[in-house]
Amino acid sequence: MQSKAPAENKMGVMPIPKLILNMSLPMILSMLVQALYNVVDSYFVARFEQDALTAVSLAFPAQNLMIGVATGTAVGVNALLSRALGEKNPKLANQIAENGVFLALVGYAIFLLFGLFGVRHFFAAQTDVAKIVGYGVDYLTVICCFSFGVFGQIMFERLMQSTGRTIYTMFTQGIGAIINIILDPVFIFVFHQGAKGAAIATVIGQIIAFGLAVTLNHLKNSDIQLNLRKFRPSPRLIGRIYAIGVPSILMVAIGSIMTFLMNIILISYTAAKELSATVFGVYFKLNSFVFMPVFGLNNGIIPIIAYNYGARNRRRMMEAVKLAVVFAASYILLGMLAFMLIPGPLLKIFNASPDMLRVGIPAIRIIGSTFLFAGTCIAMGSVFQALGYGTYSMIVSFARQLVVLLPSAYLLARLGMSTGNDTLVWYSFPIAEIASLLTTLILFRRLYKNVIEPIPEGNA
């Protein structure tokens, strides 16, 4: 009697629309939780004092870089660990996991030192308003000095993801966010800690999520057994982890550098000064609800494209790409309409003053008008990552944020200062997004012609 052939993986046979929802929905929900994390601190801090909100906004580049280092390292661990398990090599998988935990500890040590010795210099480079610097130092010192929670949480969540237990990461992230939401008003208003209270609530949520992630790994993740007592760092494995993770870290670093320098431009060359930087920070909080779910969609699309690339099925690859662009554009269109039609109510979420509304309403409308361009670039960027051309995504990010956006913002801010028109600086975003879209289309056309087009069309 002949044995049955193994069933085809769902990524090769399931209808693409259903497959995209099946793969992406958990990640989209997870990203929405992360977006909620991004907003909660600023929402409550804004009700404490506007200078405190400005301080939290100015802290974003350093906070974002910290998350980028943790996530980028975990991406490398995730990829190598999944590969080792696929090769039926549990010993190597355990070694990769142990080195990952070690690297999370190293990452924490770096940001602990920054929290102890570098935070005040970081804020002083952006503003000379003593009150804002004081609030910023209070907030970011706590965030960095207790960042072992976020480094540990992200690493242990990726250990679960790499073995297919993605559902548990929704629990850890959800519980961390809920704890943060509950404790924010307690520490900010009841204990009168202000910006520092928001940071305390955040790190408590992260530490509890870290503890839960460790517990779930121990109880539910039987594919990995950590033995840290006998652990010795492996330079070879660490090198392989960062060969995969560094591009991801660099992309976040580019964004952090852009935000840091943009804050300096806004404070130095616009009449509204710190108020412009506050609006810029609030914009980042708001746009996370628009773009984080698109990144979740992106993460679900990548394995679909990669699988069908390996199966030599161009038709399913391109159907996934086209639907990803349509799904992303449809969702982002709603966000774009909200930014353009109701910018005032969106800003009032952060207790915006009349002056903040005067500066923020035109800024939100101008930046929001470009969202469709940005969403298309994100969706098409999934093809670059899926086919192993992650450097293309880095090129697009570098060109958009450092080559086009910052010089445009500097020139328009100077022009606005001389003409008394602070609104001009925000037009640097449409300029950058158009340049980003053109760059993405050029690189995609090149990739399609050289890599995708030669693939057989395959069956639907």
Side-chain angles (χ1 to χ4, degrees), residues 257-287:
I257 293 168
M258 180 278 289
T259 308
F260 178 76
L261 295 177
M262 190 73 176
N263 284 334
I264 293 175
I265 290 170
L266 293 171
I267 291 171
S268 301
Y269 299 109
T270 65
K273 294 189 177 295
E274 282 78 13
L275 198 55
S276 294
T278 304
V279 168
F280 184 51
V282 165
Y283 153 73
F284 266 111
K285 303 295 182 181
L286 290 171
N287 91 349

Side-chain angles (χ1 to χ4, degrees), residues 145-424:
C145 290
F146 293 90
S147 60
F148 65 87
V150 70
F151 274 96
Q153 177 191 348
I154 289 173
M155 183 56 66
F156 278 89
E157 284 176 350
R158 293 308 185 277
L159 295 184
M160 289 188 286
Q161 286 180 3
S162 64
T163 60
R165 295 168 174 86
T166 55
I167 188 67
Y168 296 121
T169 65
M170 292 178 62
F171 294 151
T172 57
Q173 291 175 359
I175 287 174
I178 290 168
I179 289 170
N180 188 16
I181 292 168
I182 293 171
L183 294 183
D184 257 328
V186 174
F187 281 100
I188 293 171
F189 301 112
V190 178
F191 296 145
H192 306 290
Q193 292 295 307
K196 185 177 182 180
I200 293 171
T202 296
V203 299
I204 289 175
Q206 291 168 344
I207 291 168
I208 291 174
F210 167 36
L212 180 60
V214 172
T215 302
L216 288 171
N217 264 282
H218 179 69
L219 296 177
K220 302 293 185 180
N221 199 355
S222 57
D223 292 314
I224 297 173
Q225 287 81 40
L226 298 176
N227 186 1
L228 298 177
R229 290 182 180 178
K230 297 181 179 180
F231 167 73
R232 295 292 183 273
S234 168
R236 181 182 61 84
L237 287 178
I238 290 172
R240 291 177 63 191
I241 288 169
Y242 279 122
I244 298 170
V246 162
S248 177
I249 295 172
L250 288 178
M251 286 183 67
V252 174
I254 288 169
S256 293
I257 293 168
M258 180 278 289
T259 308
F260 178 76
L261 295 177
M262 190 73 176
N263 284 334
I264 293 175
I265 290 170
L266 293 171
I267 291 171
S268 301
Y269 299 109
T270 65
K273 294 189 177 295
E274 282 78 13
L275 198 55
S276 294
T278 304
V279 168
F280 184 51
V282 165
Y283 153 73
F284 266 111
K285 303 295 182 181
L286 290 171
N287 91 349
S288 64
F289 278 102
V290 179
F291 287 103
M292 292 291 272
V294 178
F295 283 116
L297 172 67
N298 191 50
N299 290 340
I301 290 292
I302 288 172
I304 298 173
I305 298 171
Y307 182 92
N308 286 283
Y309 174 60
R312 313 303 288 170
N313 192 326
R314 173 159 54 95
R315 180 179 296 177
R316 286 179 64 82
M317 283 177 63
M318 294 311 300
E319 185 182 355
V321 173
K322 291 172 184 175
L323 280 175
V325 171
V326 170
F327 288 167
S330 300
Y331 177 77
I332 282 181
L333 180 61
L334 297 176
M336 186 178 81
L337 291 174
F339 270 58
M340 296 187 72
L341 297 177
I342 54 167
L346 290 176
L347 289 167
K348 285 180 180 177
I349 293 172
F350 301 92
N351 204 30
S353 65
D355 284 339
M356 185 174 167
L357 290 172
R358 174 181 55 80
V359 174
I361 286 175
I364 295 296
R365 280 183 173 148
I366 292 167
I367 300 173
S369 67
T370 67
F371 280 3
L372 279 178
F373 296 159
T376 301
C377 290
I378 293 169
M380 295 180 74
S382 64
V383 183
F384 301 154
Q385 294 169 286
L387 302 186
Y389 286 78
T391 52
Y392 281 13
S393 296
M394 284 184 58
I395 291 169
V396 172
S397 180
F398 184 82
R400 175 190 175 274
Q401 299 187 85
L402 300 186
V403 176
V404 179
L405 179 59
L406 285 176
S408 298
Y410 174 76
L411 293 173
L412 290 172
R414 295 294 297 265
L415 179 61
M417 204 170 190
S418 63
T419 60
N421 184 1
D422 268 358
T423 303
L424 286 179

